Amino acid sequence: MQDSQTLDLLRVDRPIIQGPFGGGLSTVELVSTVSNLGGLGSFGVHYLEPDGIVRIATEIREKTDRSFALNLWVSDHDPEANDFSPEAYEAAWRIFEPLYQELGIEKPEQPQRFHPSFDDQIEAILETRPHVFSFVFGIPSKRILDACKVKGITTVGAATTLAEAQALEDAGVDVILSTGFEAGGHRPSFLERAEDSLMGTLPLTRLIASECSRPVIAAGGIVDAQGVEAALSLGAGAAQLGTAFLACDESGTVDQHRSALFSNQSANSQLTRAYTGRLARGMPNRLIKAMTSSGHRLPPFPVQAWFVAPLRAASIEAGDDDFISLYANQAAPLLKRTKAADLMADLTSRLA
Ligand SMILES: Cc1cc2nc3c(=O)[nH]c(=O)nc-3n(C[C@H](O)[C@H](O)[C@H](O)COP(=O)(O)O)c2cc1C
């Protein structure tokens, strides 16, 4: 069953959304390929300053005149990361010092800010007017949601519990993303701790579809046509896939990460705060082991992500996957496709 309300709001022909990736893993090529095939390509821009966001939107428009989404993280710092003290910085450094020393990386100076500000970024979104603005980790203010309405930008907000979905609906968000804990990437909870919001895609989507009046997109553990069909039969108007598109050649991830997705390593994904300080799902590797065995409480988001970034760069240079955040969902062992167009053909093969 295809639901025209969701397709109309997203301005797409097919109920397939390529989920956004932050951290440079989204690419213009992947977004435009999916949008040109009638789905919704999404670019995660939370790590960019406003001028970078404007540049990405221009580059996407050079490759497609179809609908696409830009995506932000509403909460750009955990509360403990605001006014991060020099003492807290030193405590965080002690966790990373042995790894930096091993890899020959100098101790970095504490920066003024660890991450761009959502308040600045949102102005770039409003200026560039993507067809769809999707967001995670909270609800933008009424001023922002009203401005999106005036500018004809469809808003999509992520929920990890029914209470979050109801809060998004009450705020006037157009479409609700139901994201189950099977998903690769972050658990974008904003009312309760992520660890206390571990709903699976099946019950969460069914609950939101039956209790909320806004259209629902299902995400988490969907990698093939059967998964899409299941999402639609739960009452979702579309399915959003992250890991399956990340595995495609057009994504911005590195070969080590893709190889791991197609290996036995992908059978054991786990939830961890090791990548960024916020709870996320990925495959076990040395980074997770080192953080777990450090015996210290990890710093909050985005401080943890900031300290991990040079380790990732060193791993990429060395050609290993020791310190790469190996994001993956629970269904990764089912992955088959390495081209976005082939994946799109597969995903739509059971649709009317
Ligand atoms: C590497 C990676 C990065 C992601 N970054 C973001 C992001 O910045 N913003 C966002 O809304 N979702 C992000 N997601 C979530 C995806 O867009 C998508 O909702 C999720 O991966 C769906 O679950 P699946 O991996 O089981 O398909 C990310 C997912 C992955 C795997």
Side-chain angles (χ1 to χ4, degrees):
M1 178 192 62
Q2 289 205 44
D3 145 20
S4 64
Q5 193 190 7
T6 310
L7 301 185
D8 290 348
L9 278 166
L10 301 177
R11 296 178 199 127
V12 294
D13 300 330
R14 312 303 267 159
I16 307 293
I17 299 156
Q18 168 255 312
F21 308 127
L25 305 186
S26 287
T27 65
V28 171
E29 192 188 354
L30 180 59
V31 172
S32 57
T33 300
V34 172
S35 288
N36 283 331
L37 289 167
L40 184 76
S42 316
F43 202 112
V45 291
H46 82 82
Y47 68 104
L48 293 174
E49 296 292 347
D51 57 344
I53 296 176
V54 173
R55 182 175 41 78
I56 290 295
T58 307
E59 288 177 20
I60 294 172
R61 288 193 167 107
E62 281 164 9
K63 299 255 175 173
T64 184
D65 55 6
R66 310 292 293 260
S67 182
F68 68 91
L70 295 182
N71 172 274
L72 285 179
W73 293 20
V74 178
S75 153
D76 53 43
H77 279 66
D78 285 343
E80 318 90 85
N82 287 318
D83 303 320
F84 206 60
S85 69
E87 295 72 34
Y89 185 80
E90 287 307 314
W93 166 244
R94 279 195 287 282
I95 300 174
F96 287 92
E97 189 174 9
L99 299 173
Y100 274 51
Q101 272 182 1
E102 178 191 324
L103 299 170
I105 307 169
E106 301 246 317
K107 180 182 181 184
E109 288 283 319
Q110 181 171 355
Q112 288 282 345
R113 281 189 66 82
F114 290 94
H115 192 272
S117 138
F118 172 79
D119 291 339
D120 297 338
Q121 292 171 319
I122 191 65
E123 297 310 322
I125 298 283
L126 295 175
E127 182 191 326
T128 56
R129 291 170 73 151
H131 306 82
V132 176
F133 165 48
S134 66
F135 53 84
V136 280
F137 291 116
I139 308 178
S141 67
K142 181 170 173 349
R143 177 191 78 79
I144 294 168
L145 293 175
D146 286 349
C148 288
K149 279 211 168 41
V150 169
K151 288 172 178 282
I153 302 170
T154 297
T155 50
V156 178
T160 64
T161 58
L162 178 60
E164 289 178 351
Q166 283 164 335
L168 289 161
E169 175 164 271
D170 292 346
V173 172
D174 295 317
V175 182
I176 296 166
L177 175 76
S178 153
T179 179
F181 89 133
E182 300 91 329
H186 286 86
R187 188 87 192 121
S189 305
F190 60 92
L191 289 182
E192 304 292 340
R193 270 181 2 128
E195 284 84 348
D196 298 327
S197 311
L198 299 180
M199 296 278 297
T201 306
L202 196 155
L204 184 63
T205 305
R206 193 71 208 113
L207 266 172
I208 298 176
S210 61
E211 299 296 322
C212 296
S213 59
R214 299 312 307 166
V216 184
I217 299 166
I222 303 168
V223 295
D224 55 17
Q226 285 86 344
V228 172
E229 208 173 31
L232 299 187
S233 75
L234 291 171
Q240 174 161 310
L241 293 83
T243 303
F245 282 107
L246 188 71
C248 291
D249 295 341
E250 294 89 344
S251 89
T253 198
V254 290
D255 288 344
Q256 299 93 299
H257 190 173
R258 278 198 202 84
S259 308
L261 282 170
F262 288 106
S263 78
N264 293 340
Q265 219 172 329
S266 76
N268 298 312
S269 74
Q270 63 188 97
L271 289 165
T272 176
R273 287 186 178 261
Y275 298 160
T276 64
R278 287 183 176 169
L279 198 68
R281 181 175 293 285
M283 294 173 273
N285 68 351
R286 200 173 151 207
L287 173 62
I288 296 183
K289 210 179 277 171
M291 293 300 124
T292 312
S293 62
S294 77
H296 295 281
R297 189 163 170 262
L298 299 182
F301 176 85
V303 181
Q304 174 76 12
W306 187 84
F307 273 110
V308 167
L311 298 176
R312 176 179 193 271
S315 258
I316 291 173
E317 192 160 330
D320 61 48
D321 68 10
D322 284 358
F323 298 106
I324 294 176
S325 300
L326 295 175
Y327 294 103
N329 72 6
Q330 286 191 323
L334 291 166
L335 294 174
K336 286 192 185 65
R337 298 294 171 188
T338 57
K339 295 278 175 231
D342 294 343
L343 177 61
M344 280 297 285
D346 258 9
L347 297 174
T348 51
S349 62
R350 288 176 170 237
L351 300 175

